[in-house]
Amino acid sequence: MYNCELLRFMNITDKQGNLTPVEGNRDIPIEIKRIYYITNVENGAIRGYHAHRKLHQVLICLKGSVNIKTLNPKEEHIYKLDNSYTGLYIGPYIWREMFDFSDDAVLLVLASDYYDESDYIRDIDNYMKEAKHRF
Ligand code: T46
């Protein structure tokens, strides 16, 4: 199992605009304990460069676009998020890097737990050591 996949949400459109509902444990495989969003990313900036030990997250680009590279010790994928009805689920022990943010990008993240710095693996060598037996 790769532990990372694209999810398609309902996009309800009418003359007044678009509405996308996202329900925890229904549309996404997690219960949401925290949300945060990333905006105003400087041209050329790369964010991420880490994995989580326990955290599950879903990334949704509400506006603009962003590329997300994900990898485990066996596989690597690049996903382009450019609409508000697609989410990228990222499970534990997946390394992620976010790059090529458009100027107007708004990246919403739904997380399964509260912020905890000790859950992060921010060094790629340590990540490979910890992750290699899990995939
Ligand atoms: C992830 C990707 C997609 C907090 O104080 N609370 C929070 O909930 C978060 C997420 C971050 N922070 C602090 C920690 C750092 O001092 O905000 C600062 C920037 O965080 P970081 O450098 O980890 O940001 P990104 O964009 O590299 O990564 C973030 C999430 O941290 C991470 O879990 O998967 O977005």
Side-chain angles (χ1 to χ4, degrees):
M1 188 184 70
Y2 182 56
N3 234 2
C4 187
E5 65 172 320
L6 283 175
L7 308 170
R8 284 292 153 122
F9 307 128
M10 213 187 331
N11 187 25
I12 304 166
T13 60
D14 57 28
K15 280 189 226 129
Q16 285 75 38
N18 299 348
L19 186 152
T20 294
V22 180
E23 298 188 0
N25 279 338
R26 290 183 174 176
D27 301 301
I28 56 173
I30 62 172
E31 226 168 278
I32 303 160
K33 271 202 180 168
R34 173 171 53 112
I35 71 160
Y36 58 92
Y37 29 89
I38 296 172
T39 60
N40 278 323
V41 177
E42 212 172 90
N43 210 265
I46 306 180
R47 303 188 64 108
Y49 282 117
H50 59 256
H52 286 279
R53 296 186 172 91
K54 293 192 184 138
L55 194 69
H56 302 250
Q57 300 192 105
V58 176
L59 282 59
I60 305 168
C61 191
L62 294 181
K63 196 169 182 218
S65 63
V66 60
N67 285 334
I68 321 270
K69 177 163 123 181
T70 63
L71 63 87
N72 69 24
K74 292 200 177 135
E75 285 179 63
E76 178 177 316
H77 294 275
I78 293 179
Y79 301 93
K80 185 178 182 80
L81 297 182
D82 61 2
N83 64 64
S84 55
Y85 50 87
T86 300
L88 178 63
Y89 163 76
I90 304 182
Y93 284 101
I94 295 287
W95 187 266
R96 82 285 321 261
E97 295 169 17
M98 297 101 79
F99 60 100
D100 280 353
F101 284 82
S102 63
D103 289 344
D104 58 347
V106 175
L107 181 64
L108 171 70
V109 183
L110 313 176
S112 64
D113 217 334
Y114 303 123
Y115 175 69
D116 174 9
E117 185 56 40
S118 71
D119 188 59
Y120 285 70
I121 310 170
R122 291 189 183 271
D123 177 272
I124 187 81
D125 295 332
N126 290 342
Y127 165 72
M128 287 295 174
K129 275 183 217 147
E130 279 193 46
K132 74 177 172 198
H133 301 301
R134 293 173 188 272
F135 293 94

